[in-house]
Amino acid sequence: MDIFKIIGIALCGAVLSLAVKQYRQEFAVCIGIITGLIILFSVSDGLGEIFNRMNIIIEKSGVKSEYLVAILKIVGICLISQFSAEVCKDAGQNAIAAKLEIAGKILILTLTIPIINDFLDICINTVNILD
């Protein structure tokens, strides 16, 4: 299974980072970043399948394709901001990590506003039709 490979990579990176940390803190942070990127790239093959499945769902449901784009952007922002915040935390920069998480949440909120607006329009139109 892929999860065992990923766990192995993570454990090797963690042990190597801990071993180097006592001598060179900055190298330990780099090892953490590289290990995280290796893990992300090792699961990137599944992204193509996710995109294909999402397109099939969109086509079958008749939902606007803009929603798919927004959802993918939201997931991307979430993953990237979380990964970056964790790197900042590993480097001991908790305040920067917190600001990064807030920035990610604000960007996600800006992407959801048009979806919420469309949803409310649908609700209002449905109520008007029922009256």
Side-chain angles (χ1 to χ4, degrees):
M1 287 185 86
D2 286 340
I3 190 66
F4 295 118
K5 178 178 79 170
I6 293 168
I7 290 169
I9 292 168
L11 291 176
C12 288
V15 169
L16 184 59
S17 179
L18 284 174
V20 172
K21 187 176 186 175
Q22 59 186 335
Y23 302 109
R24 298 292 297 261
Q25 174 73 28
E26 60 276 9
F27 288 158
V29 172
C30 290
I31 290 169
I33 292 170
I34 292 168
T35 301
L37 290 173
I38 291 170
I39 291 170
L40 288 177
F41 285 126
S42 68
V43 297
S44 65
D45 293 339
L47 291 177
E49 182 64 25
I50 291 170
F51 293 143
N52 290 336
R53 299 282 177 146
M54 292 287 284
N55 278 327
I56 291 169
I57 291 169
I58 292 293
E59 288 172 8
K60 287 183 178 181
S61 68
V63 175
K64 293 181 183 178
S65 62
E66 293 86 26
Y67 296 154
L68 172 64
V69 172
I71 289 170
L72 294 176
K73 284 181 181 179
I74 288 168
V75 171
I77 290 169
C78 181
L79 294 174
I80 291 169
S81 62
Q82 181 181 3
F83 178 80
S84 302
E86 292 299 323
V87 169
C88 290
K89 288 177 185 177
D90 288 345
Q93 299 297 320
N94 293 329
I96 294 173
K99 295 348 176 253
L100 182 58
E101 289 172 345
I102 291 169
K105 291 173 185 174
I106 290 170
L107 290 173
I108 289 170
L109 183 59
T110 59
L111 287 172
T112 59
I113 295 296
I115 297 170
I116 293 170
N117 189 44
D118 286 353
F119 176 73
L120 290 175
D121 286 344
I122 291 168
C123 291
I124 291 169
N125 290 335
T126 303
V127 169
N128 289 339
I129 291 172
L130 296 175
D131 285 342

